[in-house]
Amino acid sequence: MSFRIRGLPADHFSHLFALSDAELAKHGAVRRIADDRRPGYPCRVSLTDSQPGDELLLVNYEHLPVDSPYRMRFAIFVRKGDRTYDRIDEVPEQLRKRTLAVRAFDNKGMMLAFELVDGRELEGTIDKLLTHPNTEYLHVHFAAPGCYAARVDRA
């Protein structure tokens, strides 16, 4: 089954980079400069990992703004100047190198199914979960920290 993976919209975050650290704190956000950790810090806009010296913001983001018990927000990293990842039938390297939790949701924001998967095998899990007739979309999370990574829709 053909699928589309999308990062978060860059324009939701770009204005935040101009704020002072004190102003960021009022938004519950903090500025960070990436170190040499490998893999790097995962940007949820471009779906790429940071390089040493990159300017990042750690923000709290509501990635599942649904009227259900599954409404969810969590901490995410975004990198200055990145463009939104939006591709069909391609899995970004950032997802390939991590263990992922993939969750299927219906049109009412209720979780239908979930799988824990090695990122190198993500396509099979996407196909399996999107095949369910009531699946509206998938959310991919980094399994260890539990934070949101990306959205997957049928293409």
Side-chain angles (χ1 to χ4, degrees):
M1 176 176 293
S2 196
F3 61 90
R4 178 182 185 190
I5 297 179
R6 287 183 285 177
L8 297 175
D11 61 355
H12 284 179
F13 307 100
S14 57
H15 69 284
L16 295 174
F17 285 93
L19 299 179
S20 69
D21 289 348
E23 291 169 319
L24 283 174
K26 293 177 186 174
H27 292 276
V30 295
R31 189 178 326 275
R32 296 285 185 248
I33 301 301
D35 56 22
D36 60 356
R37 114 181 185 172
R38 292 288 173 238
Y41 299 91
C43 176
R44 297 340 188 278
V45 171
S46 64
L47 303 186
T48 60
D49 290 333
S50 66
Q51 298 297 315
D54 286 347
E55 183 178 347
L56 308 164
L57 295 180
L58 181 60
V59 302
N60 188 272
Y61 183 76
E62 187 172 19
H63 59 276
L64 195 57
V66 295
D67 189 19
S68 88
Y70 292 101
R71 184 176 196 128
M72 195 177 313
R73 59 184 314 126
F74 203 78
I76 61 165
F77 283 102
V78 294
R79 182 175 40 212
K80 185 176 184 176
D82 278 2
R83 290 192 171 142
T84 300
Y85 182 95
D86 187 352
R87 303 237 171 79
I88 294 175
D89 296 332
E90 291 182 33
V91 175
E93 184 63 26
Q94 179 189 88
L95 299 182
R96 289 265 186 234
K97 53 184 154 182
R98 290 174 169 88
T99 302
L100 305 169
V102 185
R103 303 166 184 170
F105 292 91
D106 68 13
N107 64 358
K108 294 182 176 146
M110 295 300 290
M111 191 183 309
L112 300 172
F114 50 87
E115 295 283 332
L116 191 61
V117 63
D118 182 307
R120 294 171 292 190
E121 301 169 5
L122 183 57
E123 290 94 339
T125 299
I126 288 172
D127 188 60
K128 177 181 176 181
L129 294 177
L130 284 180
T131 300
H132 190 286
N134 293 329
T135 296
E136 186 74 18
Y137 56 90
L138 308 177
H139 272 193
V140 179
H141 291 248
F142 299 123
C147 47
Y148 175 82
R151 179 177 167 128
V152 182
D153 293 285
R154 290 179 188 87

